[in-house]
Amino acid sequence: MRARRSSVLVFLILLAYTVPAAGFQAPAGPQSAIQLASQQDRQKMLDLLHITSLRTGANGSNPNAPNAANYDESKANPYPTLPDPLVLKNGKKIKTAKDWWNNRRPEIVEDFDREIYGRMPKITPAVKWEITSTANETNGDVAVVTKKLLGHVDNSAWPQITVDIQLTLTTPASGTGPVPVIMEFGFTGFPGRGAGRGPVGGLSPPSGPTWQQQVLAKGWGYAVLSPTSIQADNGAGLTQGIIGLVNKGQPRKPDDWGALRAWAWGASRALDYFETDKAVDAKRVGVEGHSRYGKATIVAMAYDSRFAIAFVSSSGEGGVKIHRRAWGELVENVAATNEYHWMAGNFLKYAGPLSWNDLPVDTHELVALCAPRPVFISAGATNGDGWVDAKGMFQAAAGAGPVYKVLGKKDMGTAEFPAIETPLIDGDIAFRQHSGGHTPLPNWPTFIIFADRYLSKPQ
Ligand code: GCU
């Protein structure tokens, strides 16, 4: 009995620390060395930007707090007008695909680079992939081959920092040719919680096949990338990992890349490897991630046109949620000590001296950067996943529509927020809100139906 109780306790503690629920706020208490070092790094950035104070974020855990997160639609749209993705900075409207690629898209990329996610360095060190083990296994009733890999990042320019990217790749053993692969940003280290059927967001795992088994049932493979092997998930780590390596251990400049772009960079390096592996059809690789890794997923998809499709789950603020929306998590929360490292230093300005409305771009334009490639955007119910703002993400999906149309693709078909559990999957931008909480699991079957249209045949 006692053993059982203590294992339940250990499980709950692990859950609390590995799966921050939406709106999770660290309990007050003595600060860890990581928190202190993050605070110092963030303060250095604030000093560089001459910012003396920032607004406080929304409180997601106490509805009676003066700054309680807003879940009232009538108060959610203080800045209802979004920048037009088809209007150039000089005020001219663009109408052709050529204008999009040559003129408007580069403007949007520059704004996201400078103000939001930071610039990836022009030259990043080479990555040498090593297969550390190959195992013949079964998953469910499918015979598979699982390779564990390490991507050794060349650190000859700064040997004090070592970065070894952790990746697993599983493909059907019966593979008659290269197969599509869905790669997940996994939640832990090697091989990653994402590789199993662990509970997400505090929910019990649903019965039925895991996402990996659903993918295998299509004849596809799956991969799990460990983001934190690329870049730590805290501000203290910004002088380490791939960002620290390129900066030779020095703190970031205001437009340097943050963790989201670093994680996305790692996903691109994994795709480089897939291009060399005969088991994988690298033209049919999808990327998927949930919550903070949903943010990494949309960034990876937006910046690397080799990714064929994306499943962006509960990405919320800093991901697909419209920054100008006052619902759940806000810009100010992402500017706080525990999250600012995801973004460029310049992003802090919009939580202080500037307002959300001063952002030169919003997230419908991030989705538009993925065009013409298919993107599936998902969230859970307000009760359980309200923090991520399903409607704000739907609006971004809808707002990207005109760009998809200019490129000859189909938008979502509606700008009206659908009833819960209504799949909008007929266009090239897809959306579904499931009735559960902060988890991607209930949307996997719908994503696979959507993805099948694009991945079932070689491109
Ligand atoms: C927190 C954070 C979110 C993030 C989430 C997660 O809730 O505020 O932005 O997406 O953690 O990654 O689980």
Side-chain angles (χ1 to χ4, degrees):
M1 182 65 189
R2 171 179 280 180
R4 210 178 139 197
R5 221 189 269 157
S6 62
S7 65
V8 168
L9 194 67
V10 167
F11 171 74
L12 287 175
I13 291 171
L14 276 176
L15 194 66
Y17 283 94
T18 57
V19 191
F24 172 82
Q25 287 177 343
Q31 288 190 316
S32 70
I34 286 187
Q35 281 170 322
L36 274 175
S38 302
Q39 248 170 36
Q40 283 165 5
D41 176 84
R42 180 169 168 277
Q43 189 55 50
K44 271 191 205 137
M45 182 58 74
L46 290 170
D47 294 346
L48 258 183
L49 295 166
H50 307 293
I51 295 176
T52 49
S53 76
L54 294 184
R55 296 180 297 270
T56 333
N59 184 328
S61 27
N62 176 8
N64 299 317
N67 61 334
N70 176 52
Y71 296 114
D72 174 352
E73 190 55 40
S74 72
K75 299 189 182 128
N77 301 293
Y79 307 115
T81 313
L82 300 181
D84 189 329
L86 293 180
V87 173
L88 290 165
K89 287 202 185 278
N90 67 13
K92 273 207 194 120
K93 177 113 182 160
I94 63 145
K95 295 200 179 71
T96 65
K98 198 170 155 225
D99 263 344
W100 167 255
W101 293 115
N102 294 345
N103 300 318
R104 182 59 179 143
R105 193 178 188 280
E107 285 184 349
I108 295 174
V109 168
E110 167 59 23
D111 285 340
F112 275 105
D113 275 358
R114 197 186 57 249
E115 301 298 307
I116 300 190
Y117 296 116
R119 298 182 198 283
M120 193 177 83
K122 285 209 176 63
I123 299 172
T124 52
V127 176
K128 208 164 146 224
W129 284 100
E130 178 198 1
I131 301 173
T132 57
S133 70
T134 304
N136 289 294
E137 306 172 327
T138 49
N139 189 342
D141 49 14
V142 180
V144 295
V145 178
T146 295
K147 291 174 189 146
K148 289 189 178 179
L149 295 118
L150 284 178
H152 305 290
V153 182
D154 178 5
N155 66 346
S156 48
W158 195 252
Q160 288 92 323
I161 296 175
T162 301
V163 182
D164 288 319
I165 307 174
Q166 297 166 357
L167 173 72
T168 60
L169 167 67
T170 301
T171 47
S174 65
T176 46
V179 293
V181 164
I182 306 294
M183 174 164 63
E184 172 166 89
F185 286 94
F187 252 95
T188 61
F190 208 28
R193 186 175 61 86
R197 189 164 81 209
V200 179
L203 294 178
S204 309
S207 55
T210 63
W211 75 265
Q212 293 92 335
Q213 289 163 353
Q214 295 176 55
V215 163
L216 286 175
K218 299 298 301 180
W220 307 341
Y222 58 85
V224 179
L225 179 70
S226 163
T228 50
S229 68
I230 303 159
Q231 184 61 43
D233 190 8
N234 55 63
L238 288 169
T239 48
Q240 304 279 318
I242 183 61
I243 297 176
L245 175 58
V246 173
N247 285 343
K248 303 200 158 99
Q250 293 304 306
R252 296 185 302 166
K253 296 191 295 304
D255 64 348
D256 275 356
W257 53 344
L260 292 174
R261 277 214 78 183
W263 294 336
W265 171 85
S268 294
R269 303 294 68 81
L271 186 49
D272 296 344
Y273 166 75
F274 297 148
E275 286 176 342
T276 68
D277 188 319
K278 288 192 184 61
V280 180
D281 180 349
K283 294 220 156 43
R284 289 184 288 167
V285 171
V287 60
E288 177 266 343
H290 173 68
S291 209
R292 65 199 59 201
Y293 299 141
K295 308 182 211 297
T297 299
I298 188 72
V299 174
M301 182 72 173
Y303 279 98
D304 191 337
S305 61
R306 295 174 301 161
F307 285 114
I309 192 166
F311 173 3
V312 186
S313 170
S314 294
S315 61
E317 175 54 42
V320 174
K321 181 215 155 198
I322 295 283
H323 295 293
R324 284 166 172 75
R325 289 256 304 170
W327 181 288
E329 184 166 28
L330 306 176
V331 166
E332 287 78 356
N333 294 88
V334 173
T337 309
N338 55 333
E339 299 183 4
Y340 78 101
H341 60 278
W342 294 337
M343 316 299 277
N346 273 332
F347 186 74
L348 293 168
K349 296 185 298 193
Y350 301 93
L354 300 176
S355 86
W356 318 334
N357 206 29
D358 294 313
L359 280 161
V361 279
D362 215 315
T363 57
H364 57 310
E365 291 164 300
L366 179 63
V367 178
L369 293 184
C370 305
R373 293 161 297 138
V375 180
F376 181 87
I377 291 165
S378 85
T382 295
N383 179 8
D385 205 18
W387 187 239
V388 307
D389 188 10
K391 188 165 185 183
M393 295 194 284
F394 169 82
Q395 287 177 354
V403 174
Y404 275 75
K405 283 171 92 173
V406 162
L407 300 184
K409 295 289 173 176
K410 272 175 87 175
D411 64 8
M412 251 183 339
T414 178
E416 198 132 315
F417 190 55
I420 198 152
E421 308 242 310
T422 310
L424 297 176
I425 55 172
D426 293 341
D428 296 296
I429 313 169
F431 177 85
R432 182 172 183 269
Q433 184 186 27
H434 66 73
S435 58
H438 192 54
T439 164
L441 298 176
N443 277 331
W444 269 100
T446 313
F447 167 69
I448 288 177
I449 293 170
F450 174 65
D452 187 52
R453 280 211 323 261
Y454 303 92
L455 300 185
S456 63
K457 288 194 203 75
Q459 298 299 297

